[in-house]
Amino acid sequence: LRINTGAAEVEIEVPENVACDIQTSTILTSKNLQGFNKIGDGFYQSAGYGDMDKKISIRIDAALSSLKVERY
């Protein structure tokens, strides 16, 4: 999944049974990434990422935005 946005509110829901990594390139963007571990600058992974078979990658380029990724 790739998202390019400016001045937006982005909410993404990812199932608990799917591993997820998020790579962000943001300017003046708030991030709510509960359940994700920060791996490096702008890079996050869900807990147990390496142990799961199903995976999704999210790439987000955003400015003046609000970003929220939730697990369900």
Side-chain angles (χ1 to χ4, degrees), residues 4 34 37:
N4 294 305
Q34 292 183 7
N37 302 313

Side-chain angles (χ1 to χ4, degrees), residues 12-18 34 69-72:
I12 301 169
E13 295 180 350
V14 179
E16 286 282 344
N17 65 342
V18 176
Q34 292 183 7
V69 180
E70 291 186 326
R71 308 282 287 171
Y72 69 93

Side-chain angles (χ1 to χ4, degrees), residues 16-44:
E16 286 282 344
N17 65 342
V18 176
C20 181
D21 68 69
I22 302 171
Q23 185 174 355
T24 64
S25 177
T26 59
I27 299 171
L28 298 173
T29 297
S30 67
K31 294 178 222 140
N32 182 349
L33 306 174
Q34 292 183 7
F36 290 85
N37 302 313
K38 186 170 185 174
I39 304 301
D41 189 32
F43 190 72
Y44 305 83

